[in-house]
Amino acid sequence: MRRILFLLGFLCVFVLAKADDGHLLWLSAPSEGTCEVMTTAQETATLHLAKAELRNGYHGTAVRLVLDSTLHLGEGYRVRTAGQPTIWASSDIGLLYGAFALLRFQNTNAPETDKTERPFFALRMLNHWDNLDGSVERGYAGKSIWKWNEVQNGLLSESLRSRLTIYARANASVGINGVVLNNVNANAQILSRVYLEKVGVLADFLRPYGIRVFLSVNFASPMVLGKTKTADPLNRKVQAWWMSKAKELYALIPDFGGFLVKANSEGQPGPGDYYRSHAEGANMLAAALKPYGGVVVWRSFVYGANHKGEDRVMQAVSEFRNMDGKFLDNVILQSKNGPLDFQPREPYAPIFDQIHQTPQLAELQITQEYLGQSKHLVYLAPMWREFFSYVDPSGLKGIAGVANIGDTTNWCGHPFSQANWYAFGRLAWDPRLTSEEIADEWLRQTFKTSDNAFLQPVETMMMTSREACVNYMMPLGLHHIFKFDHHYGPEPDGFKASYPLEWCPVYYHKADTAGVGFDRTQATGSGATAQYREPYASIYERLDSCPEEYLLWFHHVPWSYRMRSGNTLWQEMCHRYDLGVSMVEAYRNFWNTDVRPYVDDERWQQVDGLLQVQLDNAREWRKVCLDYFQQFSRQPITHY
């Protein structure tokens, strides 16, 4: 009988070891640890969390926590791992961040260290595009994690509390310190008393983890809610309503972060409806929040309003350049990394060159709206590092990431999409980290292995995945040739007379028998190159100096144009599509052979199935796009 019980027990352990549903992300599983945490610091909710993380996750016998305000570390910390492991900080949140850093050093087998770190950016924020009905705009991992019906009488349900504890731990582990709870296409009801009380409960829960809550607001909220007859920002009744709402908000949430606003863009109301400027609209809201220390984050993603007919990628600069310096000091301008819309590859947005007096946030998209969504393995850190090679992080107030988080068990849909949440947080903490360093950290913590036979090839797979995606979707500067609305799959022939032209793929590639690409030069095109600082304005202007990865973004290029490889443009396009597909074939072959011994069955099978989906879609992209563009090139499709 004992032998049978022993074998059953062994079998249970084996099965549990071989199954991992990903719900803990890269975090350590809570356990009854033996680590003693020593500190003389006064107990706070945040300090309690730091001690719990160490007791449950640190493998050593003791850790010392020292709170010393004279160190002036802000949210930062000093961690020494040699001898008696010690964490110093000047704030309790610094101790929590330091605790997670110590665990990261342990779980990645880092060498002994004595390291002091401070966050590079003041604001490190997730933007959730979650709707009050539970849907998530551009969400590919289930429904919203904010279960509003499970927030009742000032309390979270036990299931919601358990789920959000993992969410909060994950964010704190990478230093994310702000979350916008709701979609930028905002429902005005979020500002009703019923919802504000629920927001307050979430804010209380997230606060010990160092996370401040923000809300997206509909600019016309007082009118939508029936409190005013207008939303004109210069109307005194409108101003009074926002001031009253701010007072109500801060009574419930004293550390409320502020408002995120999408205005006069894609049908959203804004100050332009009353012939007022974005500055006048933002300043009205900023004045209401200023007495409480709140900020207004105003998105520059604006097109089709005051500059209709102008090249879409130029409109943000055209709209905001002359308002620079006219915003109140608690207004931050939030701009997407590229001038269009989160494409697999874009040049950096020139608004970062043109705005000098208004603080700016860079908006990155963690959810892969245009990069295969939760069906494709695409590691985004190289794309974001590429952006920071053009835009100096020291000129930014912070970064915001459009979250890829939902209520699916593993949070992000694709197991490897978790790496993009992790990478965003790490780059928000320190944009100087390399993509390779971040990938290595995530792999070691997520798959619980330090075997280089697994780490090195999988890291290579991650590091090349974004370039593979660019190649099988839109190489050489092609852009926005996705299927309408959902943006999954190719539709280079896309045109709908009922849609704005700038939503149609044919607007962007302008293929004809002479060539392909959007002429954005000053000499013969839209003049978008003039919005860039030197030397990039001149580099992008000339066909012979424009980087090939941006070639068709800035130039209409003949099919016979000779590329640096020696191929004609058409031959190079065929080669790039083939290369992208071949890379995904290699990923799947590798996953089916060398990787399998290192990955639990559940995640292995999920990734394997998704790699087949990705491969099928990559082949679709190649066939549809080459067949379409061949009509214009009139040359044979050559496979390499």
Side-chain angles (χ1 to χ4, degrees), residues 6 13 128 169 189 193 202 228 265 346 395 401 420 516-517 546 551 568 614 619 633 636:
F6 173 79
V13 171
H128 287 270
R169 290 177 64 213
Q189 289 298 323
R193 182 70 186 189
L202 292 174
T228 62
S265 177
E346 299 186 43
N420 293 328
V516 63
C546 183
L551 193 67
T568 64
Q614 183 173 0
R619 288 169 174 165
S633 74

PDB file of all heavy atoms in Angstrom, residues 6 13 128 169 189 193 202 228 265 346 395 401 420 516-517 546 551 568 614 619 633 636:
ATOM      1  N   PHE A   6       3.220   5.909  -2.644  1.00  0.00           N
ATOM      2  CA  PHE A   6       4.441   6.601  -3.060  1.00  0.00           C
ATOM      3  C   PHE A   6       4.441   6.851  -4.571  1.00  0.00           C
ATOM      4  O   PHE A   6       4.742   7.946  -5.051  1.00  0.00           O
ATOM      5  CB  PHE A   6       5.673   5.786  -2.670  1.00  0.00           C
ATOM      6  CG  PHE A   6       6.960   6.351  -3.218  1.00  0.00           C
ATOM      7  CD1 PHE A   6       7.578   7.439  -2.606  1.00  0.00           C
ATOM      8  CD2 PHE A   6       7.558   5.814  -4.366  1.00  0.00           C
ATOM      9  CE1 PHE A   6       8.757   7.969  -3.117  1.00  0.00           C
ATOM     10  CE2 PHE A   6       8.720   6.343  -4.875  1.00  0.00           C
ATOM     11  CZ  PHE A   6       9.331   7.418  -4.250  1.00  0.00           C
ATOM     12  N   VAL A  13       3.416  14.602  -8.707  1.00  0.00           N
ATOM     13  CA  VAL A  13       4.481  15.597  -8.816  1.00  0.00           C
ATOM     14  C   VAL A  13       4.953  15.702 -10.256  1.00  0.00           C
ATOM     15  O   VAL A  13       5.154  16.787 -10.801  1.00  0.00           O
ATOM     16  CB  VAL A  13       5.656  15.234  -7.879  1.00  0.00           C
ATOM     17  CG1 VAL A  13       6.861  16.138  -8.163  1.00  0.00           C
ATOM     18  CG2 VAL A  13       5.227  15.358  -6.433  1.00  0.00           C
ATOM     19  N   HIS A 128      -4.799  50.367 -20.685  1.00  0.00           N
ATOM     20  CA  HIS A 128      -5.743  49.301 -21.002  1.00  0.00           C
ATOM     21  C   HIS A 128      -6.840  49.877 -21.890  1.00  0.00           C
ATOM     22  O   HIS A 128      -7.457  50.886 -21.535  1.00  0.00           O
ATOM     23  CB  HIS A 128      -6.370  48.746 -19.718  1.00  0.00           C
ATOM     24  CG  HIS A 128      -5.447  47.896 -18.902  1.00  0.00           C
ATOM     25  ND1 HIS A 128      -5.344  46.548 -19.076  1.00  0.00           N
ATOM     26  CD2 HIS A 128      -4.570  48.219 -17.915  1.00  0.00           C
ATOM     27  CE1 HIS A 128      -4.460  46.054 -18.222  1.00  0.00           C
ATOM     28  NE2 HIS A 128      -3.965  47.060 -17.505  1.00  0.00           N
ATOM     29  N   ARG A 169       1.530  42.031  -8.807  1.00  0.00           N
ATOM     30  CA  ARG A 169       2.888  41.539  -8.564  1.00  0.00           C
ATOM     31  C   ARG A 169       3.723  41.629  -9.841  1.00  0.00           C
ATOM     32  O   ARG A 169       4.894  42.049  -9.808  1.00  0.00           O
ATOM     33  CB  ARG A 169       2.858  40.088  -8.084  1.00  0.00           C
ATOM     34  CG  ARG A 169       2.315  39.868  -6.687  1.00  0.00           C
ATOM     35  CD  ARG A 169       2.283  38.371  -6.362  1.00  0.00           C
ATOM     36  NE  ARG A 169       3.621  37.799  -6.334  1.00  0.00           N
ATOM     37  CZ  ARG A 169       3.934  36.553  -6.697  1.00  0.00           C
ATOM     38  NH1 ARG A 169       2.984  35.748  -7.171  1.00  0.00           N
ATOM     39  NH2 ARG A 169       5.179  36.115  -6.617  1.00  0.00           N
ATOM     40  N   GLN A 189     -19.693  57.005 -18.763  1.00  0.00           N
ATOM     41  CA  GLN A 189     -20.193  56.438 -17.510  1.00  0.00           C
ATOM     42  C   GLN A 189     -19.080  56.122 -16.522  1.00  0.00           C
ATOM     43  O   GLN A 189     -19.357  55.959 -15.329  1.00  0.00           O
ATOM     44  CB  GLN A 189     -20.999  55.163 -17.800  1.00  0.00           C
ATOM     45  CG  GLN A 189     -22.344  55.409 -18.470  1.00  0.00           C
ATOM     46  CD  GLN A 189     -23.285  56.240 -17.599  1.00  0.00           C
ATOM     47  OE1 GLN A 189     -23.317  56.088 -16.376  1.00  0.00           O
ATOM     48  NE2 GLN A 189     -24.040  57.121 -18.233  1.00  0.00           N
ATOM     49  N   ARG A 193     -20.832  58.195 -10.367  1.00  0.00           N
ATOM     50  CA  ARG A 193     -20.487  57.862  -8.981  1.00  0.00           C
ATOM     51  C   ARG A 193     -20.354  56.349  -8.785  1.00  0.00           C
ATOM     52  O   ARG A 193     -19.447  55.884  -8.081  1.00  0.00           O
ATOM     53  CB  ARG A 193     -21.548  58.419  -8.022  1.00  0.00           C
ATOM     54  CG  ARG A 193     -21.251  58.170  -6.545  1.00  0.00           C
ATOM     55  CD  ARG A 193     -20.086  59.006  -6.075  1.00  0.00           C
ATOM     56  NE  ARG A 193     -19.696  58.696  -4.703  1.00  0.00           N
ATOM     57  CZ  ARG A 193     -18.825  59.397  -3.992  1.00  0.00           C
ATOM     58  NH1 ARG A 193     -18.254  60.471  -4.540  1.00  0.00           N
ATOM     59  NH2 ARG A 193     -18.518  59.059  -2.755  1.00  0.00           N
ATOM     60  N   LEU A 202     -10.330  49.589  -6.704  1.00  0.00           N
ATOM     61  CA  LEU A 202      -9.168  49.114  -7.450  1.00  0.00           C
ATOM     62  C   LEU A 202      -7.922  49.927  -7.105  1.00  0.00           C
ATOM     63  O   LEU A 202      -6.824  49.365  -6.957  1.00  0.00           O
ATOM     64  CB  LEU A 202      -9.438  49.181  -8.950  1.00  0.00           C
ATOM     65  CG  LEU A 202     -10.493  48.215  -9.501  1.00  0.00           C
ATOM     66  CD1 LEU A 202     -10.748  48.499 -10.976  1.00  0.00           C
ATOM     67  CD2 LEU A 202     -10.064  46.765  -9.313  1.00  0.00           C
ATOM     68  N   THR A 228     -24.622  69.220 -18.718  1.00  0.00           N
ATOM     69  CA  THR A 228     -24.488  70.501 -19.415  1.00  0.00           C
ATOM     70  C   THR A 228     -25.046  70.335 -20.821  1.00  0.00           C
ATOM     71  O   THR A 228     -25.242  69.214 -21.306  1.00  0.00           O
ATOM     72  CB  THR A 228     -23.015  70.953 -19.515  1.00  0.00           C
ATOM     73  OG1 THR A 228     -22.281  69.992 -20.279  1.00  0.00           O
ATOM     74  CG2 THR A 228     -22.380  71.097 -18.135  1.00  0.00           C
ATOM     75  N   SER A 265     -10.415  62.780 -32.792  1.00  0.00           N
ATOM     76  CA  SER A 265      -9.714  61.752 -33.549  1.00  0.00           C
ATOM     77  C   SER A 265     -10.638  60.557 -33.730  1.00  0.00           C
ATOM     78  O   SER A 265     -11.220  60.075 -32.753  1.00  0.00           O
ATOM     79  CB  SER A 265      -8.443  61.319 -32.812  1.00  0.00           C
ATOM     80  OG  SER A 265      -7.799  60.272 -33.492  1.00  0.00           O
ATOM     81  N   GLU A 346       7.968  51.268 -38.723  1.00  0.00           N
ATOM     82  CA  GLU A 346       7.760  52.665 -39.125  1.00  0.00           C
ATOM     83  C   GLU A 346       9.013  53.444 -38.776  1.00  0.00           C
ATOM     84  O   GLU A 346       9.708  53.101 -37.808  1.00  0.00           O
ATOM     85  CB  GLU A 346       6.592  53.311 -38.367  1.00  0.00           C
ATOM     86  CG  GLU A 346       5.239  52.689 -38.551  1.00  0.00           C
ATOM     87  CD  GLU A 346       4.133  53.509 -37.867  1.00  0.00           C
ATOM     88  OE1 GLU A 346       4.162  54.757 -37.977  1.00  0.00           O
ATOM     89  OE2 GLU A 346       3.255  52.907 -37.235  1.00  0.00           O
ATOM     90  N   GLY A 395      14.714  62.791 -23.283  1.00  0.00           N
ATOM     91  CA  GLY A 395      13.795  63.864 -23.646  1.00  0.00           C
ATOM     92  C   GLY A 395      12.345  63.542 -23.375  1.00  0.00           C
ATOM     93  O   GLY A 395      11.460  64.363 -23.665  1.00  0.00           O
ATOM     94  N   GLY A 401       2.338  51.958 -22.569  1.00  0.00           N
ATOM     95  CA  GLY A 401       2.202  50.777 -23.413  1.00  0.00           C
ATOM     96  C   GLY A 401       0.755  50.330 -23.469  1.00  0.00           C
ATOM     97  O   GLY A 401       0.113  50.144 -22.432  1.00  0.00           O
ATOM     98  N   ASN A 420       6.478  40.405 -24.093  1.00  0.00           N
ATOM     99  CA  ASN A 420       6.346  41.805 -24.502  1.00  0.00           C
ATOM    100  C   ASN A 420       5.863  42.680 -23.340  1.00  0.00           C
ATOM    101  O   ASN A 420       6.278  43.839 -23.227  1.00  0.00           O
ATOM    102  CB  ASN A 420       5.407  41.894 -25.698  1.00  0.00           C
ATOM    103  CG  ASN A 420       6.011  41.251 -26.931  1.00  0.00           C
ATOM    104  OD1 ASN A 420       7.224  41.270 -27.112  1.00  0.00           O
ATOM    105  ND2 ASN A 420       5.180  40.654 -27.774  1.00  0.00           N
ATOM    106  N   VAL A 516       6.379  51.251 -56.977  1.00  0.00           N
ATOM    107  CA  VAL A 516       5.569  51.086 -55.779  1.00  0.00           C
ATOM    108  C   VAL A 516       6.155  51.940 -54.661  1.00  0.00           C
ATOM    109  O   VAL A 516       7.358  52.172 -54.605  1.00  0.00           O
ATOM    110  CB  VAL A 516       5.504  49.595 -55.357  1.00  0.00           C
ATOM    111  CG1 VAL A 516       6.874  49.053 -54.992  1.00  0.00           C
ATOM    112  CG2 VAL A 516       4.521  49.360 -54.212  1.00  0.00           C
ATOM    113  N   GLY A 517       5.286  52.405 -53.769  1.00  0.00           N
ATOM    114  CA  GLY A 517       5.740  53.173 -52.613  1.00  0.00           C
ATOM    115  C   GLY A 517       5.115  54.551 -52.568  1.00  0.00           C
ATOM    116  O   GLY A 517       4.567  55.055 -53.566  1.00  0.00           O
ATOM    117  N   CYS A 546      18.363  56.735 -48.521  1.00  0.00           N
ATOM    118  CA  CYS A 546      17.275  56.273 -47.650  1.00  0.00           C
ATOM    119  C   CYS A 546      17.536  54.821 -47.249  1.00  0.00           C
ATOM    120  O   CYS A 546      17.786  53.973 -48.108  1.00  0.00           O
ATOM    121  CB  CYS A 546      15.932  56.384 -48.376  1.00  0.00           C
ATOM    122  SG  CYS A 546      14.520  55.926 -47.346  1.00  0.00           S
ATOM    123  N   LEU A 551      12.470  52.341 -47.456  1.00  0.00           N
ATOM    124  CA  LEU A 551      12.513  52.798 -48.839  1.00  0.00           C
ATOM    125  C   LEU A 551      11.131  53.132 -49.394  1.00  0.00           C
ATOM    126  O   LEU A 551      10.902  54.223 -49.934  1.00  0.00           O
ATOM    127  CB  LEU A 551      13.183  51.724 -49.709  1.00  0.00           C
ATOM    128  CG  LEU A 551      13.574  52.158 -51.114  1.00  0.00           C
ATOM    129  CD1 LEU A 551      14.683  53.198 -51.061  1.00  0.00           C
ATOM    130  CD2 LEU A 551      14.036  50.945 -51.931  1.00  0.00           C
ATOM    131  N   THR A 568      16.951  43.484 -58.261  1.00  0.00           N
ATOM    132  CA  THR A 568      16.021  44.569 -58.541  1.00  0.00           C
ATOM    133  C   THR A 568      15.047  44.680 -57.364  1.00  0.00           C
ATOM    134  O   THR A 568      14.954  43.768 -56.513  1.00  0.00           O
ATOM    135  CB  THR A 568      15.220  44.299 -59.819  1.00  0.00           C
ATOM    136  OG1 THR A 568      14.393  43.136 -59.617  1.00  0.00           O
ATOM    137  CG2 THR A 568      16.136  44.098 -61.015  1.00  0.00           C
ATOM    138  N   GLN A 614       0.841  30.719 -37.426  1.00  0.00           N
ATOM    139  CA  GLN A 614       1.703  31.796 -37.904  1.00  0.00           C
ATOM    140  C   GLN A 614       2.297  31.452 -39.263  1.00  0.00           C
ATOM    141  O   GLN A 614       2.347  32.305 -40.166  1.00  0.00           O
ATOM    142  CB  GLN A 614       2.821  32.053 -36.891  1.00  0.00           C
ATOM    143  CG  GLN A 614       3.743  33.213 -37.249  1.00  0.00           C
ATOM    144  CD  GLN A 614       4.716  33.532 -36.126  1.00  0.00           C
ATOM    145  OE1 GLN A 614       4.704  32.896 -35.066  1.00  0.00           O
ATOM    146  NE2 GLN A 614       5.559  34.521 -36.323  1.00  0.00           N
ATOM    147  N   ARG A 619       2.562  32.399 -45.066  1.00  0.00           N
ATOM    148  CA  ARG A 619       2.448  31.937 -46.458  1.00  0.00           C
ATOM    149  C   ARG A 619       1.329  32.666 -47.184  1.00  0.00           C
ATOM    150  O   ARG A 619       1.456  32.982 -48.377  1.00  0.00           O
ATOM    151  CB  ARG A 619       2.218  30.439 -46.477  1.00  0.00           C
ATOM    152  CG  ARG A 619       3.451  29.629 -46.087  1.00  0.00           C
ATOM    153  CD  ARG A 619       3.120  28.167 -45.845  1.00  0.00           C
ATOM    154  NE  ARG A 619       4.327  27.368 -45.617  1.00  0.00           N
ATOM    155  CZ  ARG A 619       4.318  26.138 -45.110  1.00  0.00           C
ATOM    156  NH1 ARG A 619       3.158  25.564 -44.783  1.00  0.00           N
ATOM    157  NH2 ARG A 619       5.450  25.477 -44.927  1.00  0.00           N
ATOM    158  N   SER A 633       4.266  44.838 -61.452  1.00  0.00           N
ATOM    159  CA  SER A 633       5.674  44.654 -61.833  1.00  0.00           C
ATOM    160  C   SER A 633       5.803  43.951 -63.176  1.00  0.00           C
ATOM    161  O   SER A 633       6.773  44.159 -63.918  1.00  0.00           O
ATOM    162  CB  SER A 633       6.420  43.841 -60.771  1.00  0.00           C
ATOM    163  OG  SER A 633       6.058  42.476 -60.829  1.00  0.00           O
ATOM    164  N   PRO A 636       8.182  37.770 -63.322  1.00  0.00           N
ATOM    165  CA  PRO A 636       7.886  36.481 -62.685  1.00  0.00           C
ATOM    166  C   PRO A 636       8.206  36.499 -61.193  1.00  0.00           C
ATOM    167  O   PRO A 636       9.132  37.179 -60.744  1.00  0.00           O
ATOM    168  CB  PRO A 636       8.792  35.501 -63.436  1.00  0.00           C
ATOM    169  CG  PRO A 636       9.896  36.336 -63.976  1.00  0.00           C
ATOM    170  CD  PRO A 636       9.285  37.660 -64.305  1.00  0.00           C
TER     171      PRO A 636
END
